Amino acid sequence: MFRTKAIALTAAAALMGTAAFAGSMKKDIVDTAAGAGDFGTLLAAAEAAGLVETLKGDGPFTVFAPTDAAFAALPEGTVEDLLKPENKDQLAAILTYHVVPGKVMSTDLQDDMEATTVQGSSVTIDLDNGVMVEEANVTTADIETSNGVIHVIDKVILPES
């Protein structure tokens, strides 16, 4: 009886230790954004563009993540249009314009620096009035994930057509 309880307690302690360790591990970019609760449109767009698995990949990636409010500020019908299957390439281009390869923390930024995006174009970082990426303000910086970092922005940035 004592041996059975000791084995059961040891097994339970091992399971709890494993659960605690797993809980302390950082989530990837997608899971972190999903857990934040303010990126539903971004995540739906990433799904429609076929980018979810990439953003769950090894990385590292730096994502300038527009909030749901940033997407809502686009002209009426824009998001719905972009989510259509026939616009998948355009949507992917817009989303990958928000991603820079590597892990770029706010302390790595310099005024007027250019960063080449996964889309292929560059974005300009401006530090004169807070931190800006193109015309979007960084509202929350340095959200570390298991495969990179998220910087929350208040506007969807668009590559030149």
Side-chain angles (χ1 to χ4, degrees):
M1 172 94 166
F2 175 77
R3 182 176 171 181
T4 304
K5 283 186 180 180
I7 291 171
L9 287 173
T10 303
L15 285 173
M16 288 172 51
T18 302
F21 179 75
S24 69
M25 295 188 65
K26 291 179 190 163
K27 296 178 182 177
D28 62 42
I29 288 168
V30 173
D31 292 340
T32 300
D38 199 21
F39 300 102
T41 307
L42 176 62
L43 294 170
E47 180 73 33
L51 297 173
V52 170
E53 287 309 309
T54 300
L55 291 173
K56 290 179 84 53
D58 291 339
F61 303 108
T62 298
V63 177
F64 297 104
T67 61
D68 289 338
F71 278 101
L74 291 171
E76 189 174 329
T78 301
V79 173
E80 293 78 11
D81 247 12
L82 288 170
L83 292 175
K84 292 178 180 174
E86 62 267 24
N87 296 326
K88 182 177 179 178
D89 291 342
Q90 182 183 8
L91 179 59
I94 291 169
L95 294 179
T96 56
Y97 188 63
H98 289 79
V99 181
V100 173
K103 184 176 179 180
V104 182
M105 302 300 287
S106 62
T107 54
D108 299 324
L109 301 177
Q110 297 174 6
D111 193 30
D112 298 325
M113 75 181 281
E114 299 263 326
T116 302
T117 67
V118 172
Q119 180 263 354
S121 301
S122 293
V123 292
T124 302
I125 308 298
D126 181 23
L127 303 179
D128 292 336
N129 297 306
V131 180
M132 294 184 72
V133 179
E134 294 297 317
E135 57 280 340
N137 293 296
V138 175
T139 58
T140 305
D142 299 334
I143 301 169
E144 291 191 71
T145 69
S146 63
N147 62 343
V149 62
I150 298 171
H151 302 293
V152 180
I153 57 175
D154 65 355
K155 187 173 182 182
V156 177
I157 56 176
L158 301 171
E160 291 184 25
S161 299

